Amino acid sequence: MSNVMSMRFRRVLIPALLAAALLALLAGCGSTGQVGSATSAVPASALAYVSVDTSFEGDQWQAVSGLLARFPNGEGLLEELLERATAEAGLESDADLRAALGPEVALVVLDVPTDLEADPPLVVLTKPEDEDAFAGLLEGEDAARAEVEGWQAVAKTEADLERYREALEGPSLDESEEFAEAMDDLPADALARVYVNGGALAEAFSELPTGAGPIPFGFAGAETGSLGAALVAEEDGVRVEGRAVAADGSESPELGTFESELVEEVPASAVAFLAFNDLGAALEQYADALGAGGAPLPFDLDETAELLSGEIALSVRPGPAVTLVAQVEDEAAALAAVESLLGLAGGRAPVVYDAFDGLLAVSNSQAELDVLRGDAPRLDQDDRFEAALEAAGMPDETSGFGYVDLRAAVPLVAGLAPGGEGGGYLPEDYLEPLGGLVFWGEASGDAQRFSLFLAVD
């Protein structure tokens, strides 16, 4: 198989997944696939694991069908994709295609290749109801295939397949405490579930050539932890629920929750808004993690941390006008800090800034500072913003949250792209069903829980 997965297999599998909602309509409400049941055939040492429900039945796929039907020609497009996938597979009907894929397809990434331009060693696992039909998907392709632990395992090369078998001689994922903790309390009924092994990730990057060091995620100051996530379809949108868990023996920083006050200060009609609290504490924590051997910071850490100890928000409005607003106690000190940071940047950047009413504002638009000082409606009075947060079910207090008005953001971003003036983005009737994208974090025991919800109106 070239490019990780054979071209033919991708041409069949990907359209089939996109066409799944139509299958739900054809088959009616049935039992959903057991997403995650392949864990017994996945090595605990694997770098990443993705499980996708390919039963194309049940409430999840019914919800997908309902969501896609709200877009122009949604049902017709799904039928076309289904027909194309079935034809590519050389099968006669969607039922044959479903039998060839089985109720679940799992992808296992064994590790990161030392040659960054090479494909990662990847194994595809499935339990087809019709093994002859599944074999037909791979007919004529240069791929290694074997039955392992009751699953059909497919890899690019025999060497990759052998590495997978050897890794399975150790513990499997269903025996891993790290996996159990990362996936704890995440929805079991999901379209897909994802797990990234933080320890394996750190080890893999540490063995790469100099300059490609580990990329920790989840917690500043902690060893690289693991991450689990689930993709869920709902009646009014799509949700991602996830957990970031600190590595064994490391202490995760305490990320306090807060209720945003800057939503009452930032003007309404925001295309995007991001709020977080006490960035100074996170900066100090990151500096401590660097240790004495780290490069000296080009600014006074204590002064900067104190300046950033309140709530900070980044707002984008049509224009685009990008404005950072921070709560500050000492307005004069805040202005001096901005002057200093601009000096470090090599001179005055093309921005305007001011401090007033306990706020520091930095923007690319003087008009935005004028609006901030004025009596224009605020974001907490914006109907689309409030409706998006309510649909997402976001709690009042979070460790940080963001909002994007996709209906406004898509043409804005397209207008900034090469070619300009928004040409090439989706027609307005395709944008109309798009609601707000809301994401936030909150503490959950020793882990950080995160959520993302995309509303479809």
Side-chain angles (χ1 to χ4, degrees):
M1 289 189 295
S2 60
N3 297 323
V4 180
M5 189 183 298
S6 76
M7 289 296 295
R8 186 171 184 222
F9 194 66
R10 283 184 295 166
R11 288 197 304 265
V12 173
L13 180 58
I14 293 174
L17 295 177
L18 295 175
L22 182 62
L23 282 171
L25 290 176
L26 295 174
C29 184
S31 60
T32 188
Q34 296 178 350
V35 179
S37 63
T39 53
S40 61
V42 179
S45 60
L47 180 71
Y49 161 66
V50 180
S51 175
V52 181
D53 175 4
T54 51
S55 71
F56 307 133
E57 297 181 347
D59 294 340
Q60 282 293 292
W61 287 113
Q62 291 278 6
V64 171
S65 174
L67 294 173
L68 293 180
R70 297 177 190 179
F71 291 86
N73 302 317
E75 294 185 15
L77 175 61
L78 290 172
E79 186 172 12
E80 178 184 339
L81 289 170
L82 176 62
E83 291 175 354
R84 189 176 74 184
T86 302
E88 286 284 352
L91 303 173
E92 295 183 359
S93 70
D94 56 85
D96 293 335
L97 179 61
R98 184 171 52 196
L101 292 176
E104 175 186 2
V105 171
L107 308 178
V108 182
V109 182
L110 297 177
D111 58 31
V112 176
T114 54
D115 180 359
L116 294 180
E117 296 184 359
D119 293 332
L122 176 73
V123 176
V124 179
L125 301 175
T126 187
K127 278 188 176 180
E129 297 173 9
D130 186 335
E131 293 191 8
D132 290 338
F134 178 72
L137 300 182
L138 302 174
E139 187 176 352
E141 302 292 343
D142 183 16
R145 175 189 170 201
E147 182 174 330
V148 180
E149 301 289 337
W151 291 78
Q152 292 296 320
V154 181
K156 179 180 178 181
T157 66
E158 287 288 352
D160 287 345
L161 193 59
E162 185 59 29
R163 289 176 62 186
Y164 163 68
R165 285 169 162 157
E166 290 176 357
L168 267 181
E169 293 177 1
S172 59
L173 207 56
D174 61 354
E175 302 172 294
S176 167
E177 293 183 6
E178 290 80 3
F179 174 77
E181 188 173 1
M183 306 303 292
D184 186 37
D185 293 334
L186 295 183
D189 190 11
L191 295 172
R193 285 162 65 90
V194 178
Y195 169 69
V196 178
N197 184 334
L201 182 70
E203 181 179 355
F205 274 95
S206 68
E207 296 176 355
L208 294 179
T210 303
I215 305 176
F217 59 87
F219 305 102
E223 295 180 20
T224 303
S226 296
L227 181 146
L231 172 66
V232 180
E234 300 181 3
E235 182 179 355
D236 295 320
V238 179
R239 187 180 301 275
V240 175
E241 294 280 357
R243 284 168 55 88
V245 182
D248 286 345
S250 64
E251 294 184 4
S252 62
E254 294 183 6
L255 301 179
T257 59
F258 70 103
E259 184 172 356
S260 176
E261 297 178 357
L262 291 181
V263 292
E264 301 174 7
E265 304 289 348
V266 172
S269 303
V271 176
F273 177 81
L274 177 66
F276 40 95
N277 199 46
D278 199 0
L279 182 61
L283 182 62
E284 288 181 318
Q285 209 161 35
Y286 180 71
D288 290 342
L290 291 178
L297 297 173
F299 54 84
D300 187 295
L301 177 62
D302 293 334
E303 289 183 3
T304 304
E306 184 176 355
L307 175 65
L308 302 178
S309 62
E311 182 184 350
I312 302 173
L314 184 67
S315 173
V316 180
R317 299 209 313 142
V322 182
T323 306
L324 184 143
V325 181
Q327 293 176 327
V328 294
E329 295 184 0
D330 188 330
E331 295 175 7
L335 289 173
V338 172
E339 290 280 5
S340 176
L341 291 173
L342 288 175
L344 291 173
R348 294 182 62 89
V351 298
V352 292
Y353 54 93
D354 200 357
F356 50 88
D357 299 333
L359 301 176
L360 170 67
V362 182
S363 180
N364 66 337
S365 167
Q366 179 61 49
E368 285 300 297
L369 299 191
D370 296 338
V371 173
L372 271 169
R373 283 183 173 274
D375 297 325
R378 303 298 164 176
L379 189 58
D380 65 332
Q381 301 168 320
D382 186 310
D383 290 341
R384 280 186 64 79
F385 175 76
E386 288 295 295
L389 266 57
E390 182 178 355
M394 192 186 87
D396 292 335
E397 293 193 356
T398 70
S399 54
F401 79 96
Y403 158 77
V404 180
D405 182 349
L406 290 177
R407 196 180 300 167
V410 171
L412 176 62
V413 172
L416 297 174
E421 301 186 4
Y425 69 84
L426 290 173
E428 186 175 347
D429 55 346
Y430 281 86
L431 297 175
E432 189 63 28
L434 292 176
L437 174 68
V438 180
F439 50 94
W440 69 94
E442 54 186 326
S444 176
D446 294 332
Q448 280 293 316
R449 190 78 179 251
F450 61 89
S451 300
L452 180 149
F453 183 77
L454 168 60
V456 180
D457 298 333

